[in-house]
Amino acid sequence: MRFLSIQSSVSYGHVGNSAAVFPLQRIGVEVMPVATVCFSNHTGYGAWRGPMLSGDDVREIVTGIEERGGLAGVDAVLSGYQGGDSIGDAILDAVARVKHHSPDAIYACDPVLGNATSGCRVSPEVQELIRDRVVPHADLITPNQFELGFLTGTSPDTLASTLDAVDRVRRTGPSTVLVTSVERPDRPTGTIEMLAVTGTGAWLIATPHLPATVNGSGDVTAALFTAHFRRTGDAAAALARTAASVFSLLERTVASGSRELRLVEAQEDYAHPDLRFEARRVR
């Protein structure tokens, strides 16, 4: 498989492409990374250095790939954090170009907006761009529960309300939705869940809730689920493999005491995940 991945790049730590590319390569995906920023580190540190690329910069890079014939045979376009509306427009342009050369390619969008703790942390114009223009063009989206609520104008908290919100967003365009953090009041104590929904069903999986929030874990989750689902077409299997790999990655990170993902140390967990969590059909 071949992916075009348009995301941020950092030199220290792992977010965006700096989180997604290696796990994808480790499971056999050829990745063409396109950077939207080239920062020293992620912005969670409060200070960073390096340039933000413009939409025109991204278009130039994609054009160069196209001129080499690199947009043929692409299986998926993957995007994450979009720092400005010009980047969003450039991503949509790249998706259109890829689908011209590779009609079977899918667009997988991680609609990065924020979380329930911090609220929306992108500008209003980017919020509107993602909700009104980007998500309707996506085939697969991977919001967290807060982002799902923003996209649908709802407040999902129970399983039923989360499924209802997924149905609402699927009617706008995406056929497949992975909700990356489902926190419902009646879930088993000490767990967190993920929910995958397609046109043929819905599956829920629970893992222990580890005492850490680590930047980049959502980028790894979106990348691995896209790859497994694109390869097999089996949402339940893709969910089980992704949950197992990401939990092991987080387990290693927490045990190390590091603020940054132990991405390299967990490489066998991507290639040979311990399938200890079962994806349960809920619809």
Side-chain angles (χ1 to χ4, degrees), residues 114-138:
N115 56 55
T117 302
S118 63
C120 273
R121 52 176 198 265
V122 300
S123 64
E125 59 267 24
V126 173
Q127 296 172 29
E128 294 170 5
L129 170 78
I130 291 175
R131 182 189 61 208
D132 301 334
R133 294 177 51 212
V134 175
V135 165
H137 282 88

Side-chain angles (χ1 to χ4, degrees), residues 143-217:
N144 60 36
Q145 201 168 19
F146 169 82
E147 291 160 342
L148 176 65
F150 175 85
L151 293 173
T152 58
T154 64
S155 300
D157 53 0
T158 65
L159 179 57
S161 62
T162 302
L163 285 167
D164 178 69
V166 169
D167 290 341
R168 287 172 184 250
V169 79
R170 289 184 67 247
R171 286 195 288 269
T172 71
S175 57
T176 302
V177 177
L178 173 69
V179 187
T180 58
S181 57
V182 178
E183 297 187 60
R184 55 192 177 96
D186 56 343
R187 72 186 187 278
T189 302
T191 66
I192 190 166
E193 298 169 321
M194 289 198 292
L195 174 72
V197 183
T198 71
T200 60
W203 294 265
L204 190 71
I205 197 164
T207 65
H209 195 173
L210 295 171
T213 300
V214 185
N215 295 85
S217 58

Side-chain angles (χ1 to χ4, degrees), residues 1-5 30-34 61-77 94 97-102 105:
M1 288 198 299
R2 295 180 69 217
F3 281 13
L4 178 70
S5 183
E30 183 71 38
V31 187
M32 297 179 288
V34 177
I61 294 169
V62 174
T63 296
I65 296 171
E66 185 177 33
E67 289 170 345
R68 307 283 82 75
L71 299 187
V74 173
D75 294 282
V77 179
R97 289 205 231 175
V98 166
K99 290 195 172 188
H100 172 74
H101 294 283
S102 304

Side-chain angles (χ1 to χ4, degrees), residues 1 3 27 75 106 198 224-242:
M1 288 198 299
F3 281 13
I27 63 171
D75 294 282
I106 67 168
T198 71
L224 289 177
F225 182 82
T226 299
H228 292 312
F229 183 65
R230 186 69 181 87
R231 179 173 280 151
T232 67
D234 185 333
L239 184 60
R241 294 186 73 85
T242 301

